[in-house]
Each structure stands twice: as C-alpha cells, then as structure tokens.
Amino acid sequence: MIRLTRLALFYLCSISAIAVEGFHVGGTFRLKKSFSVYAGSETTNMEPSKPDPAMEETAVMEPKLDATPTAVSATTAALSTVDAGTMDEGIYKFNKQLIDTVYDVICFLYPVKGNERDFARFFVLETVARVPYFAYLSCLHLQETFGVRYPNMSDRMRTHYAEADNELHHLLIQESLGGNSNPVDRVLAQTMAFFYYWYVIVIYTWNEPAAYHLSELIEDHAFDTYSNFLKNHETFLKSKPVPEIARKYYEEENPFLFELYCTVKDDPECSVEEQVTACCRRPDLETLYDVFVCIRDDEKEHWKTLCNLVQFDEMNAVAARDVKSTVPAPAESA
C-alpha cells in the first residue's frame, strides 16, 4: 500500500510538470523547454517563430551547443553576458529558513567534539545532502519518459547522476569511519532523507530553480562545515589513516563520473581537453585530513553548479571565479 501511494504521488507530480508552461526565477523568465510526445505529434521549439515583444528583454535564450572548443568558448562568453537571475524574496526566505533550521537541529543533536562521534554528524548530513540529486534525476527521467525534451537535458541528467554518486561516496566514507554504527543515527538520517526526497520532488515539479536553491544552501553549509572541521581539528584528522573506500574512489577508480560533475571551470576560454585535464584531479591521500579536504572541495563544485542552475538555468553559464550565491529579488519601489 505504501509503495502504491508513493507511485501515485510521483505520477501526479510528473503530470503536473508536463502541464506547466514555464517558470520564473525572480525577474528572469525562461521559455518552457521544448517537448515532443511520441505518436507523431509536433515538436515545440524553445525559440518561438514570433516572440512576444513584451518578453524579448527578459527572455534568457539557450544557445545551441556543440563539442568544439571554439563553440564552448563562444557559448560561455554569450551566457556570461546575461544578468544572473534572482530568487523571489518569499521563496528565498522560506528556503533559507528551512535549511538553516534543519542544519541547526543537526548541529544541536551532534555538537562537534573532535572525536569519532563527529563522524555520525557527517553521516547524517551526507545522508540528507545527497537526496536532492536523485530527486532531480527522478523527475527528469519521468519527464523524459512522458516525452519531455529540451536541449542539454541528457547532460543535466548525467551530471545529477554523477553528483549523486559523488555524495554517495562521501556517505560511504563516513560509514567506513563508523558514522552509522548507532541505530538511532541511522533511523534519524533515513527518516529525514525519506521525507526530504518527496518534498524536493514536489518543489522541483512546481519550480525547478527553487529546488536547486535548496541544494545550493545545503552545499554552502557543507563547505563551511568541512572547512571549520579541517581548521579546528587538523591534528585529530591527520592521526587517522585513509579509508579504503576513499582511496579507491579518489585514486584508483575510473575518473569519468568524478570529472562529470565538475561543470564550472576556472577558465571558460580553455579548450575541452584542457577543461577535462584541469578537473581530473588525483589527490595524494596520506591521512584522513586529505580525504576531508577532497570532500570539502567536492561540495564547492556542487555549489558552483547549483548557483549556475538557479541563476542562469545552465550548469556552466559563468566561470568559477564569477560564481556568486543567489540573492533575493530587490523589493519593488512604490
């Protein structure tokens, strides 16, 4: 019965997503992604043949992409000239209040002490933080199943899968350190993850940028949390060996998925080959401290991609040096 209820809710969310014609990101309007339904129906293009003059100044156009280095540079340059979208103030405040409250609750339940108990805190955080990526992927996959198509949709799906895989390995590392040894911690983390998954499904169906903004806030908290832990407990971390799962993921496995989620480059003018080489970092892991540095840097990569998605509806609209946190839309003057 529970499984059927879940499937029914998911089906209704997917139908709603197909029915919606567009969405707003603060003052920035993006035309609804083109889609086609099988059985020979027409395909609606992203750029209408006769654009509405009232929308011309605010429409964010999605340029066509190809794999050549010249095209990548030109595309990035074109996107970087577009003003970053802002989040509706009401949505922004609600998202921030929600994420800050959840984070504060976790911090209260799991105060940092500089010992093995801290790994339970990171286990709970990573269990919750990885949920949105496969929620996004679930929605996109179901939309695709119903015939929704738009440029770069497959790239976005692959990136979200790579992000989920990366967060999974963060979780596996914390589990290898004993973060999930207490059944109370497991129940709390999994319960939060279950309800948060369905919440993100609903939000993503209603407003994609709002759903991405949730993760932007989470990843920002995650980066700060790991940075502070590295700064305040360096000696403790350097006294611990490298978990085998961390060495396997960061040093030994095929780096394809590892590279895939690094969408925002430091230099948008470099070639495709140079971008891949720059992203393919192979750290020298000597202690647990080095592992936590890698995890912190991963969270930063996720944050940069999410900022681009919220503000530009592109994964790599601006270079890494130009990425800024999403801000609420300025209040309209009376």
Side-chain angles (χ1 to χ4, degrees), residues 216-236:
E216 177 193 332
L217 295 171
I218 289 176
E219 298 297 356
D220 192 33
H221 274 306
F223 178 82
D224 290 340
T225 298
Y226 280 109
S227 294
N228 291 332
F229 194 75
L230 286 165
K231 178 182 178 181
N232 298 328
H233 304 286
E234 179 178 352
T235 302
F236 168 70

Side-chain angles (χ1 to χ4, degrees), residues 119 122-123 170-179 226 292 295:
F119 301 135
F122 290 114
F123 165 76
H170 293 176
L171 181 63
L172 294 175
I173 290 170
Q174 303 305 331
E175 289 180 353
S176 72
L177 297 170
Y226 280 109
F292 271 60
I295 295 176

Side-chain angles (χ1 to χ4, degrees), residues 8-225:
L9 177 60
F10 203 86
Y11 179 79
L12 290 174
C13 289
S14 67
I15 295 298
S16 299
I18 295 173
V20 176
E21 294 182 357
F23 59 80
H24 292 267
V25 188
T28 302
F29 180 83
R30 184 174 67 80
L31 298 178
K32 177 61 185 174
K33 304 167 182 128
S34 62
F35 67 94
S36 61
V37 180
Y38 299 137
S41 61
E42 294 184 5
T43 301
T44 303
N45 294 325
M46 282 228 11
E47 300 179 17
S49 57
K50 295 181 180 180
D52 186 348
M55 294 168 52
E56 287 182 349
E57 294 184 359
T58 57
V60 178
M61 308 310 295
E62 297 187 4
K64 297 180 179 179
L65 304 178
D66 60 51
T68 63
T70 302
V72 170
S73 299
T75 297
T76 306
L79 286 169
S80 62
T81 62
V82 180
D83 291 336
T86 54
M87 178 68 59
D88 177 85
E89 186 176 14
I91 297 175
Y92 178 90
K93 288 183 176 180
F94 182 82
N95 280 354
K96 194 171 189 320
Q97 184 65 42
L98 174 65
I99 299 304
D100 287 350
T101 299
V102 173
Y103 180 77
D104 289 343
V105 169
I106 293 176
C107 290
F108 174 78
L109 295 175
Y110 298 92
V112 177
K113 298 180 178 179
N115 55 33
E116 283 78 3
R117 182 59 183 161
D118 293 332
F119 301 135
R121 168 196 175 100
F122 290 114
F123 165 76
V124 175
L125 288 171
E126 293 294 352
T127 300
V128 176
R130 65 185 291 260
V131 164
Y133 297 112
F134 53 85
Y136 304 152
L137 190 60
S138 297
C139 289
L140 289 170
H141 187 275
L142 200 58
Q143 289 177 16
E144 186 183 55
T145 301
F146 282 103
V148 176
R149 299 289 188 276
Y150 61 86
N152 304 324
M153 183 177 187
S154 295
D155 290 338
R156 186 173 297 193
M157 293 173 69
R158 281 191 290 267
T159 297
H160 289 331
Y161 179 83
E163 290 167 331
D165 180 75
N166 176 255
E167 294 287 5
L168 168 63
H169 283 83
H170 293 176
L171 181 63
L172 294 175
I173 290 170
Q174 303 305 331
E175 289 180 353
S176 72
L177 297 170
N180 66 333
S181 58
N182 190 317
V184 175
D185 298 330
R186 294 198 301 271
V187 171
L188 174 64
Q190 292 165 3
T191 300
M192 293 174 64
F194 174 80
F195 287 103
Y196 189 51
Y197 172 81
W198 290 107
Y199 177 76
V200 175
I201 289 287
V202 173
I203 299 301
Y204 194 86
T205 301
W206 166 63
N207 188 316
E208 290 181 16
Y212 284 132
H213 185 238
L214 288 168
S215 287
E216 177 193 332
L217 295 171
I218 289 176
E219 298 297 356
D220 192 33
H221 274 306
F223 178 82
D224 290 340
T225 298

Side-chain angles (χ1 to χ4, degrees), residues 236-247:
F236 168 70
L237 290 172
K238 287 186 175 180
S239 69
K240 299 292 182 180
V242 177
E244 186 59 33
I245 183 64
R247 193 173 298 283

